[in-house]
Each structure stands twice: as structure tokens, then as C-alpha cells.
Amino acid sequence: MSEEDIFTEALVDRLSLNLTSAHVARKMSLLYDLSVDERGAVQMGVDIDTGEPIRGKGKGFEQDILIYEKVNEAHTSIVPRIVVEVKYNHVTTHDVIVYSEKANRIRRIYPYVRYGLLLGKFKTVPGRVLRLGQEFDFICTLQHPFVDAQIQDLRQLLMDEVQVSISLGKLLTGNIKTSMVHRKLLLKGS
């Protein structure tokens, strides 16, 4: 297991979001493509027994951390709320470009999903990550060994993002109406 995997596993164990309807998992897949075949049938790329998206075969991406809800009686059993990509100890320009594109593709299928980048063992967010990571809803750093205050801040951020995802889903499906939408910018020192 890589250092990044060990870090991510330990983080998921520490998060315990206490969300009654949401689950936190590692290495689950999400759809990034839906297609319509020549007979007019939608090709989803989900396991017919579990309803979970299948990784690979041009349909699904594996996520470092996925916060999702399970549903029954739908075409898929996974309703993603937050995707968190994790980079530990280093992040390249290529990583940020790839994850931004991945966020874009996933949002084509799940327009309400929140997408973030977590940089483990970083003190601050590198400027190139900010310039190239415009598809991220949040970018944060986390020291390792973990600092309790940072874990608490991350836990609160994720719980807030779940609520944003739920609200966006309702807004995009017409279940709630609004006269204003405003995105805030929050900066927090290291």
C-alpha cells in the first residue's frame, strides 16, 4: 500500500461524519459517461445486481474518497454527494489538470456533486493548483500526523458540502425555486 493509500485510509477512519443518510467509502466508482446505443437504450455501466457503477470499460472512474447516499428502485444505487481526490506529499501540474477534467466529466452525469482536492502533508495550497484547479469546489491541506483542529474543520466542510449537494440537486430538478444563487470564497490560513 502506498503512503497516499495509508494516509487516505487513516483519514476516512478519523472522519466519522455522523451523517445519517450518507456513507463514506474509498475506491468506489462513479459514472463519467452515459451513451445511447443504436436501439435507443441508455448504456449506463452499472452492475445489474448491485446498481453500483463499474470501474473501467469507458464508463466509470474510481474515487479516492466518495461520500454518497444509497437509493433503491432507481437505475443506480449510488447518489454521489462529494468526491475528494487525495494527493499526499506532492502534487504535479498534470495531476491537477487530470482531476479538473475528471470533475468536469463526472459533473456531466451528476451536476449536483461537489468535487474537492485534499493535499496531505502540505501546509499551503500551491499557486499552480489554484490556477489549474478551477473545477474544484474546495481545495484544502491537511498535515500528517493529523491535527485534530484540521480534522474537525474538514469534517465540517464535508458536512456543509453534503447540504450544498442536496440543495443543488433539488434546485436543478425544479424541486426548489430561488431568486438568487451566490458562491462565497473562504480563505483560511495555515
Side-chain angles (χ1 to χ4, degrees):
M1 205 186 297
S2 72
E3 282 187 306
E4 186 171 292
D5 285 332
I6 292 167
F7 169 82
T8 307
E9 284 287 337
L11 175 60
V12 167
D13 289 343
R14 289 282 302 271
L15 279 178
S16 61
L17 292 176
N18 299 325
L19 295 167
T20 55
S21 64
H23 306 275
V24 181
R26 292 225 339 99
K27 299 189 179 274
M28 285 189 69
S29 293
L30 287 182
L31 298 172
Y32 66 88
D33 177 62
L34 295 176
S35 57
V36 178
D37 70 14
E38 70 282 354
R39 296 178 319 250
V42 175
Q43 302 297 308
M44 289 187 52
V46 296
D47 182 280
I48 56 174
D49 294 325
T50 66
E52 293 181 10
I54 301 168
R55 179 178 180 217
K57 298 182 185 171
K59 297 289 182 187
F61 284 134
E62 186 176 87
Q63 310 309 309
D64 290 339
I65 300 174
L66 178 64
I67 299 171
Y68 67 98
E69 293 180 67
K70 284 195 78 70
V71 294
N72 297 319
E73 301 175 22
H75 296 281
T76 179
S77 63
I78 303 295
V79 176
R81 293 296 173 196
I82 305 171
V83 172
V84 182
E85 296 293 353
V86 178
K87 292 308 292 177
Y88 183 79
N89 203 30
H90 71 282
V91 63
T92 66
T93 299
H94 178 77
D95 293 331
V96 179
I97 292 169
V98 167
Y99 287 146
S100 283
E101 175 60 21
K102 192 172 166 185
N104 186 1
R105 287 178 182 258
I106 287 172
R107 281 207 184 97
R108 291 178 194 169
I109 308 300
Y110 312 99
Y112 49 82
V113 78
R114 307 301 286 170
Y115 204 96
L117 178 64
L118 190 141
L119 302 173
K121 210 171 178 183
F122 280 73
K123 289 189 179 188
T124 60
V125 178
R128 71 183 185 284
V129 172
L130 294 172
R131 284 189 300 278
L132 298 170
Q134 295 179 7
E135 292 294 326
F136 300 127
D137 295 303
F138 61 92
I139 303 170
C140 59
T141 64
L142 199 60
Q143 294 174 14
H144 195 247
F146 297 124
V147 174
D148 287 339
Q150 285 185 328
I151 294 290
Q152 183 56 37
D153 287 347
L154 178 60
R155 184 179 294 129
Q156 186 60 54
L157 170 70
L158 294 175
M159 290 191 311
D160 292 347
E161 289 291 335
V162 166
Q163 292 308 310
V164 170
S165 172
I166 291 168
S167 294
L168 276 173
K170 289 178 181 178
L171 183 64
L172 294 171
T173 57
N175 290 326
I176 59 173
K177 306 290 183 200
T178 187
S179 61
M180 181 182 2
V181 176
H182 175 226
R183 293 182 181 199
K184 289 185 176 186
L185 175 64
L186 172 67
L187 303 173
K188 189 167 184 172
S190 59

